[in-house]
Amino acid sequence: MDRAGPEDRLSATAREVAQAATGLVDLWARTAHAGSPRLSVLQLRALTATRHRPGISLTRLAEEVGAQAPAASRLCDRLEAAGLLHRRRSADDRRQVGLVLTRHGQEAIDELHERRSRALRQVLGDMPADRRQCLLEGLRAFTEAADTAPGTPAG
């Protein structure tokens, strides 16, 4: 008979998920560092946010990546110096600056996605098909719950 309460079981499951996710998280991080340019997690988050929202303001980008505006500005300085990002003044209001990916930035993100897809395909190929489907369903449910959880960052 299981004497553990619901909170104990939930805590145990959370620990097991954290341990099980280690392989995926490691693979995800390795692929970001394997190519050129080597991107930090924060740089990748900034480029991804900019890709999804071309013209995003620095303030909004800071919110997206969970950084203060000065840190986000320095991050953009580095990305711009690397040729991955460009600051563009608004034609309507010269005080407004939007961030857009350069062609090199777009290519870097595309290549990263391709490296990740190849790495995932290789690992998934070693799994039985029914387990792959369970993984996919579980990850979709997790993402849906995470996206709607109060107090979690967007995206």
Side-chain angles (χ1 to χ4, degrees), residues 64-136:
E64 289 280 323
V65 301
Q68 298 296 319
S73 181
R74 289 189 301 274
L75 171 65
C76 290
D77 289 344
R78 289 189 299 274
L79 292 171
E80 195 167 27
L84 300 169
L85 188 75
H86 178 69
R87 288 178 168 100
R88 182 174 55 194
R89 293 218 178 267
S90 169
D92 299 332
D93 183 351
R94 301 288 293 163
R95 295 172 297 173
Q96 295 291 328
V97 176
L99 304 168
V100 292
L101 291 182
T102 63
R103 192 180 95 230
H104 180 53
Q106 186 72 35
E107 290 169 353
I109 294 292
D110 290 344
E111 173 57 29
L112 173 60
H113 286 263
E114 183 59 32
R115 281 194 313 271
R116 284 181 169 167
S117 291
R118 283 192 309 265
L120 285 168
R121 185 179 192 287
Q122 184 176 0
V123 172
L124 292 169
D126 292 337
M127 293 174 62
D130 62 326
R131 302 298 294 268
R132 287 193 301 261
Q133 189 60 38
C134 287
L135 174 65
L136 179 58

Side-chain angles (χ1 to χ4, degrees), residues 21-58:
T22 300
L24 177 59
V25 171
D26 286 348
L27 180 137
W28 209 247
R30 278 194 316 268
T31 57
H33 294 353
S36 178
R38 290 173 54 116
L39 301 169
S40 72
V41 172
L42 191 58
Q43 290 170 326
L44 181 56
R45 289 176 68 192
L47 292 175
T48 301
T50 304
R51 180 183 194 172
H52 292 307
R53 293 166 200 81
I56 190 172
S57 71
L58 183 61

